[in-house]
Amino acid sequence: MKNNLSIGLGLRSSHYSYILKNLPKVDWFEAISENYLDLDSASGELKKTIPLTNLLKIREHYPIALHGVSLSIGSTNPLNKIYLQKLKALIEAVDPLWVSDHICWTGVNQENLHDLLPLPYTQETIDHVANKILQVQDFLKRPMVFENVSAYLSFKHSEMSEWEFIREIVKKTDCEILLDVNNIFVSSKNQNFDPIEFIKTLPKEYIREMHLAGHSSSGSMLIDTHDGPVCHEVLSLYQETLNIVGKIPTLIEWDDKIPEFLILENEIENVLKIWNQEKANE
């Protein structure tokens, strides 16, 4: 088990006061990096905004991981150096467990589409993404963790599977993996592949974190909405994943229609029942 951590929660601003008042029994939190990146251009330091102040107060009581949504590592645009400078300042302030983002692109020509868009799985894309990851890791002086995104369509000119694509990127960069079990489930239904093959093929020694979340159905397609509890089918796949890769720190995401904190504590209990089953490898 990595870092002796089990089940964590995505940190959301509506829960700041509850967390600081009650210090609920949660192993760790994951904060969205972009919520705290207000940099003072004159001093080069982060502004002490209300969100950052609350984050640092919570950091006094809990380990924190940072999770980004804007790195756009797959984009053909150059890396955003201002964004990286802000992220580096946040890392220095928080001292996070790890720093993650997504294997995706989020826009072109400096336009952010505010979505995590999949990539074609080709050798050319591997080389492009790996080169950018190496640049980011060199700038931040630390390994990054990258998440598989959900997909609804596939590229005709892909040369390999998503899991082969991820494995090659890890081999080239020594980055680590954020294995999103819900995204695997959603994509496997939308694209008709075996989720177990996806999980078994990845180098388990590089898996730093796992994600669980709720999704929605839109007719014949599943949509990664993060607006409800983790369903039984995803929990079942999570159990199988634990049996394959061992106990990896696992985060529950709930990003829309955010409920009161008690509901999230119940979600933790549901996942812990699976985590504590003896079948899961240590």
Side-chain angles (χ1 to χ4, degrees), residues 42-79:
S43 67
E45 297 181 355
L46 291 173
K47 294 180 181 179
K48 292 299 173 66
T49 60
I50 292 175
L52 180 61
T53 299
N54 280 303
L55 176 63
L56 294 179
K57 286 179 181 179
I58 292 170
R59 178 66 182 89
E60 293 175 5
H61 303 282
Y62 299 94
I64 298 286
L66 293 176
H67 187 53
V69 295
S70 299
L71 185 57
S72 197
I73 201 69
S75 172
T76 55
N77 289 339
L79 288 167

Side-chain angles (χ1 to χ4, degrees), residues 223-280:
I223 308 295
D224 181 34
T225 49
H226 295 190
D227 62 354
V230 185
C231 71
H232 173 74
E233 290 86 355
V234 171
L235 289 175
S236 178
L237 180 59
Y238 175 62
Q239 172 67 80
E240 293 185 77
T241 304
L242 290 179
N243 293 335
I244 294 167
V245 305
K247 290 182 176 179
I248 308 294
T250 301
L251 185 92
I252 300 170
E253 295 183 290
W254 198 318
D255 299 323
D256 196 14
K257 303 176 184 176
I258 299 173
E260 61 183 40
F261 201 85
L262 178 61
I263 301 297
L264 298 178
E265 290 178 302
N266 290 337
E267 284 288 284
I268 289 178
E269 290 301 315
N270 290 335
V271 177
L272 276 173
K273 290 176 184 177
I274 297 172
W275 176 276
N276 290 325
Q277 289 182 19
E278 293 183 2
K279 286 177 64 179

Side-chain angles (χ1 to χ4, degrees), residues 3 94 97 115 130 138 140 142 148 152 155 163 165 171 182 184 189 215 223 259 261 270 273:
N3 294 302
V94 173
L97 292 163
D115 205 349
D138 183 62
L140 297 178
R142 64 189 299 138
N148 58 290
Y152 312 105
F155 291 88
W163 48 94
F165 178 80
K171 187 185 299 184
N182 180 65
I184 293 174
K189 296 299 182 184
H215 61 260
I223 308 295
F261 201 85
N270 290 335
K273 290 176 184 177

